[in-house]
Amino acid sequence: MDVPKHRSGRSTSLRDATDSSKMEGTGSWDALEWTKIEPVSRFVSHTNLDFLLEAEHVIAEGHGVVLVNTDDAGMLMITNFRLLFLSEGTRKVIALGTIPHATIEKFNKTVAKTQSNARQLEKTPPQRLLQVIGKDMRIIVFGFRPRTKQRRIIFDALRRCTKPATLWDLYAFVCGPSRFRNTNPQVRLLDEYFRLLGKGARASTDMIESGSFTLSNDLWRISSINSNYKMCPSYPFALVVPKIISDDEVLLASNFRARGRLPVVSWCHLGTGAVLARSSQPLVGLMMNMRSNMDEKLVAALCSKLDDGSRRKLYIADARPRKNALANGAMGGGSESSSNYFQSEIVFFGIDNIHAMRDSFARLREYLDTHGRASSDGMSSFLRHGGSTWGGGNLSSMSASVSTLGDSGWLLHVQNVLAGSAWIAARIAMEKASVLVHCSDGWDRTSQLVALANLLLDPYYRTFNGFQALVEKDWLAFGHPFCDRVGLPAFSGSELTRQPSSSNFAASPGRQPSGAFTSPSSSHAQTSNNYSPIFLQWVDCVSQLLRMYPFAFEFSAAFLVDFLDSMLSCRFGNFLCNSEKERLQCNISETCGCMWVYLADLRALEGGSHVHYNPFYDPLKHNGPLLPPAAALAPTLWPQFHLRWACPEEAQAGEIEAKCRKIITKYTELQKAKEVAERKSKEISNAMESLNAELQNLKQQNSSAMNMANRANKENMSIKRAIQSIGCKVHFSNTGDCIVDIESNPLGTAQKFLYCSKKGSDGITLDDEKDLAVAVTVTADDDDNDENSPIGRVCENLCPFRSADGGCRWPNGRCAQLSSQFVGLRANFDAFDKLSIDDSYFKPE
């Protein structure tokens, strides 16, 4: 796939240097006040547009454009991803005037004449306006200078960008996965199935290719009957079905359900065995007399026996009004009969179809624009500029606007979905019953009810990871047609296309594949009868639960807003196409970026202090099902989403949450500082302990040295007395050396000195700490080796241990060595202690 290269030559700048006079007057479009703009250069360099995303490039631009909603003047740019409005003075992006192409529901050119006196009426040109209506509750209007072609250039570029020729022209494909690379969504779906079945296994691509993912527990199993999407093109490749039902029986049962969407398990309770199942309507026909034994057997298998042996009750929840279900019988559809399905009860919820939701959403958007602070008619409806009007009339119209909000019906529809989901969750949690939910096709109202009931039943789905698994399972995998409902670009030419679905059936009541290949005339939402904000309405319901249970959700309302914006923008590939099969055939997961990775990357930048985190989340407070009573299900407008464009100041309903987040951030910083201080304190404590241990060691060494010194002193004194007893004088110097003088010198030889060193020099070393070696060196004549030498006479005549026969009575003492120039006296006081030495041998000191 070739990525379009940026060509600056395509960017069109049509700047009219002449200033237009300001428009005067009051009323619709008349409050538009043209701001005098200084002339600028015709072409603007795009090299410093750091606000552009990766692979985003400018296609067209217009200068001197006024955002009528706020009277801001600036530059309007069309890129391959969005419509951008920059402030004229600061060149900053103004959020209200910036909207992705895929988020635009429709746009049109309008002309409004200003009210002035009759003399100037012919001279005053009409106002050139461009109205853009978004799927995110905003209506914005841009005013262009008269007598220029800027509006035509912008309109034509916008029309080309909102209706791409091929799927590959979408920004999601042009940008590619980038750093938001996706993983295989089929693997994630299997991981969720394994969690529901209580299996600790982890899915892998090899497991899918080999077909080894068909695990089971005592009641349910994962079937691969739809792995090639032939049985039901709009269902996922893997289905959870009762264990006692074979694949052949599953295939037969699918023929009795519209579009082959047979009853399958969406959620199961491992403890009680109750399940929440989903399907499409049965093909019972007009007379309600068509039956299917396989379908009845499959539905009955959803109700396993209770612990007491009794049969579990089954509720069949039909999301449609009863009259609509009967009307569908004329086209082959209809609803079940409780007499044909054992121990079952049929309940109708009365939720309107996609067309009623689309009209209700449009009326709500119109109401907010009319009575908002930044209205698209150029007038702030509430006391703008100190005026006394409100809503275009007097103050009494305030009460009328409230009834207008009620007439839109949006809050009533939200309440019906909430009430139905709460009823389903209560039956499963309180009665341990199983519930089968369906509407006509089983991919609109059914997805709303099942996904919301899952959210109420399972705390896991109220976390970031669980919310992702819930959306991917009950909306993406089970075939909610996002391409049709959200108005995202469809396929054309030789690309994969999908026959538009509606609440009505074709003439044939049989199973119809949803993956037919046709060439749609137009994919834009403004010409599609299948556009409906079903998924947006479900997220609105989630925000109502978040308001009712602020401690139960890990994510915040800001996360839901960013989540919806990312989905509507078509920046990522997660919500492209109408089914898992189509996304797989288009290789969406590898060629487009992943929205979940993008949102997780945003949270990773700031950690727990990010606005996506709910500061009040307490997983232990609501670790079970949420069962709201009926009185608590009264919905209100979702300020962060519904009011953010029309009433930006009033939309800041999360001030308490913001302050709490600041407190939490400060607490986190203090906690980190505390941890650092504790770590330093521990290091200092360890250092002090080490110094104390070293000090104790030094004290022990000092004490040992003192003892050794005392002992050495005693040894020296004993040696001194021993040497003096043989007629020698001993002198110890301060350096540790000693000098021994021999007094007896009968041969008249020159007196020599005996030298001892503790350093172990001249080969004399200390054996250990208990021994003290004294070396006596005598310089003798050549006849010193003779028996009559002074050495020999000393040993023979003076040594008290010399025996009469010439032997030594102290051989272990090694006190003397004859025939040597050394006379060594090695004092071993342990040996001294063992000898009986006559005190007369030693002279008194």
Side-chain angles (χ1 to χ4, degrees):
M1 181 177 62
D2 296 332
V3 179
K5 297 181 179 180
H6 170 58
R7 293 181 291 178
S8 58
R10 293 188 60 188
S11 176
T12 306
S13 175
L14 298 173
R15 164 78 171 149
D16 187 5
T18 61
D19 295 332
S20 299
S21 59
K22 295 183 180 180
M23 299 182 186
E24 299 177 354
T26 58
S28 296
W29 308 112
D30 299 334
L32 176 62
E33 190 170 321
W34 293 92
T35 304
K36 188 174 182 179
I37 306 172
E38 296 298 329
V40 296
S41 59
R42 177 175 297 271
F43 299 100
V44 177
S45 174
H46 298 156
T47 57
N48 295 326
L49 301 181
D50 53 355
F51 47 79
L52 294 180
L53 302 175
E54 183 179 1
E56 183 183 12
H57 60 271
V58 178
I59 296 175
E61 64 182 31
H63 294 269
V65 182
V66 174
L67 179 59
V68 175
N69 302 63
T70 57
D71 282 350
D72 289 324
M75 180 173 63
L76 186 63
M77 304 172 64
I78 302 292
T79 72
N80 60 332
F81 171 59
R82 54 185 169 170
L83 186 150
L84 263 167
F85 187 73
L86 305 180
S87 173
E88 185 70 27
T90 61
R91 294 293 179 182
K92 292 183 178 179
V93 177
I94 296 180
L96 176 59
T98 300
I99 180 172
H101 301 317
T103 311
I104 298 176
E105 181 179 333
K106 56 185 176 180
F107 55 93
N108 53 75
K109 295 184 290 185
T110 60
V111 176
K113 292 185 177 181
T114 58
Q115 294 181 2
S116 60
N117 53 45
R119 202 176 281 179
Q120 297 179 352
L121 182 60
E122 296 180 357
K123 298 180 180 181
T124 305
Q127 301 174 16
R128 270 71 172 177
L129 304 171
L130 175 64
Q131 184 187 48
V132 178
I133 299 176
K135 305 168 189 174
D136 57 352
M137 302 300 298
R138 67 174 128 178
I139 301 176
I140 50 182
V141 174
F142 298 99
F144 295 82
R145 290 180 173 279
R147 301 186 182 92
T148 66
K149 297 182 180 180
Q150 292 189 107
R151 186 179 65 162
R152 181 186 302 175
I153 296 295
I154 294 295
F155 182 84
D156 292 343
L158 196 58
R159 182 170 53 186
R160 292 194 305 269
C161 291
T162 54
K163 296 181 181 180
T166 64
L167 174 70
W168 319 118
D169 292 334
L170 292 176
Y171 174 77
F173 289 95
V174 174
C175 179
S178 184
R179 59 192 180 95
F180 306 117
R181 293 191 175 274
N182 199 356
T183 56
N184 192 341
Q186 292 181 314
V187 173
R188 297 198 294 267
L189 178 64
L190 284 181
D191 283 335
E192 178 59 17
Y193 281 168
F194 293 163
R195 187 189 74 88
L196 292 175
L197 298 183
K199 301 296 181 181
R202 299 291 297 178
S204 64
T205 305
D206 295 338
M207 187 179 292
I208 297 175
E209 294 176 352
S210 63
S212 59
F213 57 83
T214 56
L215 305 182
S216 65
N217 59 14
D218 296 338
L219 298 176
W220 321 107
R221 68 182 180 89
I222 302 175
S223 172
S224 61
I225 185 65
N226 198 44
S227 59
N228 55 6
Y229 301 102
K230 290 184 178 180
M231 182 187 72
C232 180
S234 60
Y235 260 12
F237 76 104
L239 302 171
V240 178
V241 296
K243 189 174 183 179
I244 61 175
I245 302 297
S246 66
D247 283 346
D248 292 337
E249 292 173 326
V250 169
L251 185 61
L252 290 175
S254 67
N255 294 320
F256 189 68
R257 293 285 169 168
R259 303 184 185 275
R261 297 173 65 89
L262 74 159
V264 292
V265 175
S266 172
W267 184 83
C268 57
H269 194 291
L270 291 176
T272 64
V275 298
L276 175 58
R278 59 180 298 168
S279 69
S280 62
Q281 65 179 345
L283 302 177
V284 296
L286 180 61
M287 303 305 296
M288 306 290 289
N289 55 4
M290 296 292 293
R291 296 181 61 178
S292 170
N293 293 332
M294 283 298 98
D295 184 77
E296 294 173 9
K297 180 180 179 180
L298 174 60
V299 173
L302 298 175
C303 301
S304 58
K305 291 185 179 181
L306 296 171
D307 294 336
D308 57 3
S310 61
R311 188 75 176 181
R312 190 186 306 274
K313 187 172 183 179
L314 171 68
Y315 290 96
I316 299 178
D318 195 324
R320 304 165 293 181
R322 183 188 295 270
K323 61 178 182 179
N324 291 15
L326 294 176
N328 280 335
M331 292 170 288
S335 186
E336 297 87 349
S337 174
S338 58
S339 60
N340 296 336
Y341 292 86
F342 179 74
Q343 203 164 342
S344 64
E345 179 179 344
I346 314 298
V347 181
F348 292 92
F349 285 174
I351 301 176
D352 288 327
N353 59 20
I354 62 173
H355 310 294
M357 299 304 177
R358 180 180 60 246
D359 296 339
S360 176
F361 181 79
R363 289 194 298 268
L364 175 64
R365 181 174 53 200
E366 187 70 26
Y367 163 78
L368 294 174
D369 180 67
T370 302
H371 300 285
R373 185 178 294 274
S375 302
S376 62
D377 61 356
M379 294 187 62
S380 179
S381 58
F382 185 67
L383 303 179
R384 187 179 191 184
H385 303 314
S388 59
T389 60
W390 189 85
N394 54 39
L395 293 178
S396 63
S397 62
M398 181 180 293
S399 59
S401 72
V402 177
S403 63
T404 305
L405 173 62
D407 292 341
S408 69
W410 181 260
L411 295 181
L412 181 60
H413 294 316
V414 170
Q415 185 179 27
N416 288 340
V417 177
L418 283 171
S421 303
W423 185 90
I424 294 172
R427 302 288 76 77
I428 295 176
M430 299 175 64
E431 298 183 17
K432 300 179 182 179
S434 293
V435 181
L436 171 64
V437 184
H438 70 75
C439 51
S440 297
D441 293 331
W443 54 37
D444 289 316
R445 288 165 283 190
T446 300
S447 296
Q448 286 181 324
L449 293 171
V450 171
L452 209 59
N454 278 335
L455 198 71
L456 291 170
L457 288 168
D458 198 336
Y460 172 70
Y461 293 133
R462 302 171 213 148
T463 64
F464 285 110
N465 293 334
F467 186 79
Q468 174 184 345
L470 177 64
V471 171
E472 291 193 316
K473 173 172 65 75
D474 282 305
W475 288 95
L476 293 170
F478 277 96
H480 176 69
F482 279 96
C483 180
D484 296 339
R485 299 295 183 261
V486 185
L488 298 178
F491 309 109
S492 61
S494 60
E495 298 174 52
L496 173 67
T497 61
R498 184 181 191 277
Q499 185 174 358
S501 60
S502 65
S503 60
N504 300 327
F505 282 88
S508 175
R511 179 166 55 92
Q512 302 177 11
S514 61
F517 297 98
T518 60
S519 297
S521 59
S522 176
S523 64
H524 199 261
Q526 64 190 48
T527 60
S528 173
N529 192 40
N530 294 312
Y531 166 73
S532 185
I534 298 299
F535 185 73
L536 186 151
Q537 188 179 59
W538 178 77
V539 180
D540 192 351
C541 293
V542 176
S543 73
Q544 304 294 337
L545 294 177
L546 178 58
R547 175 182 55 84
M548 286 186 280
Y549 299 97
F551 300 98
F553 294 83
E554 184 182 12
F555 47 84
S556 65
F559 165 77
L560 295 178
V561 173
D562 288 345
F563 167 70
L564 266 181
D565 286 344
S566 299
M567 184 272 294
L568 293 173
S569 69
C570 201
R571 178 181 174 183
F572 306 99
N574 301 78
F575 296 90
L576 295 178
C577 305
N578 284 317
S579 64
E580 179 184 277
K581 175 186 176 182
E582 293 180 0
R583 283 184 288 272
L584 184 64
Q585 289 177 335
C586 294
N587 201 19
I588 296 293
S589 62
E590 295 184 9
T591 55
C592 299
C594 180
M595 182 193 66
W596 306 110
V597 178
Y598 164 74
L599 294 175
D601 187 65
L602 289 180
R603 295 192 298 271
L605 295 177
E606 301 180 20
S609 62
H610 194 270
V611 293
H612 287 180
Y613 286 93
N614 178 16
F616 307 111
Y617 176 56
D618 185 1
L620 299 179
K621 186 176 181 65
H622 298 288
N623 56 359
L626 302 177
L627 303 177
L633 295 175
T636 62
L637 286 178
W638 180 12
Q640 292 90 337
F641 186 78
H642 292 147
L643 302 180
R644 60 173 170 165
W645 305 121
C647 307
E649 296 179 3
E650 289 74 11
Q652 303 299 325
E655 291 185 4
I656 297 178
E657 180 179 319
K659 290 183 178 180
C660 181
R661 186 172 285 106
K662 290 181 180 179
I663 294 175
I664 293 176
T665 303
K666 186 65 175 178
Y667 174 78
T668 303
E669 293 175 354
L670 294 176
Q671 192 73 15
K672 291 181 180 178
K674 178 185 176 184
E675 293 176 357
V676 172
E678 289 178 348
R679 193 160 51 246
K680 289 183 178 179
S681 176
K682 188 174 181 179
E683 291 176 357
I684 293 174
S685 177
N686 293 336
M688 291 182 63
E689 291 179 359
S690 177
L691 291 175
N692 288 333
E694 187 175 353
L695 180 61
Q696 293 295 329
N697 188 26
L698 290 175
K699 287 183 178 180
Q700 292 178 358
Q701 292 180 2
N702 184 47
S703 176
S704 177
M706 292 294 295
N707 293 334
M708 290 178 60
N710 293 334
R711 182 167 183 173
N713 186 43
K714 293 179 179 179
E715 292 176 354
N716 290 337
M717 296 305 298
S718 300
I719 293 173
K720 182 178 179 181
R721 289 194 297 270
I723 293 177
Q724 287 178 349
S725 66
I726 59 176
C728 298
K729 291 182 179 181
V730 181
H731 172 67
F732 292 92
S733 66
N734 293 332
T735 61
D737 299 331
C738 63
I739 299 175
V740 181
D741 295 330
I742 301 177
E743 294 181 344
S744 176
N745 191 7
L747 299 178
T749 59
Q751 179 176 305
K752 308 297 181 183
F753 61 90
L754 306 171
Y755 179 76
C756 171
S757 175
K758 293 183 180 179
K759 298 179 181 178
S761 60
D762 297 329
I764 305 302
T765 59
L766 302 178
D767 290 343
D768 51 47
E769 294 180 353
K770 295 182 179 180
D771 296 335
L772 178 63
V774 179
V776 182
T777 304
V778 179
T779 303
D781 297 332
D782 294 337
D783 58 347
D784 283 344
N785 292 330
D786 193 277
E787 294 181 0
N788 295 324
S789 66
I791 300 301
R793 289 192 295 273
V794 169
C795 182
E796 181 180 359
N797 299 325
L798 300 180
C799 182
F801 303 110
R802 190 75 170 181
S803 61
D805 56 359
C808 181
R809 289 180 292 180
W810 190 23
N812 293 333
R814 296 177 296 169
C815 62
Q817 297 181 8
L818 298 179
S819 302
S820 174
Q821 67 180 17
F822 298 104
V823 176
L825 178 60
R826 191 170 189 83
N828 186 336
F829 289 94
D830 291 335
F832 268 121
D833 294 338
K834 295 178 182 179
L835 294 174
S836 278
I837 301 175
D838 193 346
D839 292 339
S840 61
Y841 294 161
F842 300 93
K843 297 180 180 180
E845 187 176 357

